[in-house]
Amino acid sequence: EKQFAPNAAIRDSVFDKLKQRFPDLKIHVGTQLSYLGMSFNYDTPGEVNISMPAFVESLLAESETTGSAETPAGEDLFEIDEESAWLDEERCEAFHSRAAKLLYLGKLTRGDLLTSTIFLCSRVQAPTQQDEQKLSRVLKYLNATKNLKLTLGARDDLFVTLSVDASFGVHQDGKSHTGAAV
């Protein structure tokens, strides 16, 4: 276990000085921490597992999601059916809210949701029944994979790889799509 200080007495002395300067400061000592809805688990040396179990459960309950999907999207993710009916105001607001929540989740801990979610976020101004079905697919995938965690760690031979891709003019309005992964 890595230590903040050589011993507990020095650590506690530093914490006391910090509390004097910042009276509302909250200090946590241990291998598990919750912060901004995220759960950090440092039980495995050299790694941290980050997840958002309560957020995921809340989103799945709110959307009444049942069932599962093996992937977050089908091959038709970027296809838009111009004949698909628009959602009424209540369903439109629910679509927008859930797409935003998936984006938050995807950005913090579940990068596997981002391609589908970013596309759905591009549809929040006028979502259709087809878009709602695509959202349902992402939620079913989330239901099937709700226990996945983001694991970060380092090795002695650390190196960084960056992949970037872009698709020019793939949307019907001529907009392009881009993404990057580190």
Side-chain angles (χ1 to χ4, degrees):
E1 178 180 329
K2 292 185 179 180
Q3 294 291 322
F4 168 76
N7 61 54
I10 293 173
R11 180 195 68 205
D12 292 343
S13 172
V14 171
F15 288 168
D16 288 341
K17 289 178 182 173
L18 286 169
K19 285 181 185 178
Q20 288 173 4
R21 176 74 172 99
F22 305 101
D24 295 333
L25 181 67
K26 293 184 174 106
I27 295 175
H28 174 83
V29 177
T31 60
Q32 298 193 16
L33 170 71
S34 292
Y35 181 69
L36 297 177
M38 295 179 283
S39 296
F40 295 83
N41 183 320
Y42 295 89
D43 286 338
T44 304
E47 288 184 1
V48 60
N49 291 307
I50 309 169
S51 61
M52 299 178 70
F55 186 87
V56 169
E57 288 299 331
S58 173
L59 177 55
L60 293 173
E62 162 198 309
S63 60
E64 300 178 354
T65 298
T66 59
S68 62
E70 289 187 23
T71 61
E75 292 180 6
D76 65 341
L77 175 64
F78 297 111
E79 295 173 13
I80 298 173
D81 179 4
E82 295 294 335
E83 304 299 317
S84 183
W86 290 18
L87 301 181
D88 62 41
E89 188 174 344
E90 183 179 331
R91 287 169 60 196
C92 184
E93 287 178 18
F95 179 90
H96 193 156
S97 174
R98 291 173 186 146
K101 288 176 181 180
L102 284 169
L103 183 61
Y104 179 73
L105 177 64
K107 284 291 195 178
L108 293 178
T109 63
R110 292 292 303 268
D112 54 325
L113 303 175
L114 286 176
T115 300
S116 304
T117 301
I118 290 170
F119 174 78
L120 292 170
C121 286
S122 75
R123 304 286 299 158
V124 297
Q125 293 300 315
T128 64
Q129 288 178 358
Q130 181 194 38
D131 298 320
E132 191 175 51
Q133 290 169 349
K134 292 175 183 178
L135 176 67
S136 176
R137 166 88 179 241
V138 178
L139 291 168
K140 287 179 179 181
Y141 171 76
L142 180 61
N143 191 38
T145 61
K146 60 185 159 192
N147 294 320
L148 281 182
K149 298 172 174 71
L150 173 64
T151 300
L152 302 176
R155 301 181 310 228
D156 291 336
D157 60 340
L158 179 65
F159 62 96
V160 177
T161 302
L162 173 66
S163 299
V164 179
D165 192 18
S167 298
F168 182 74
V170 294
H171 296 284
Q172 289 186 319
D173 60 2
K175 290 181 182 174
S176 299
H177 218 88
T178 187
V182 179

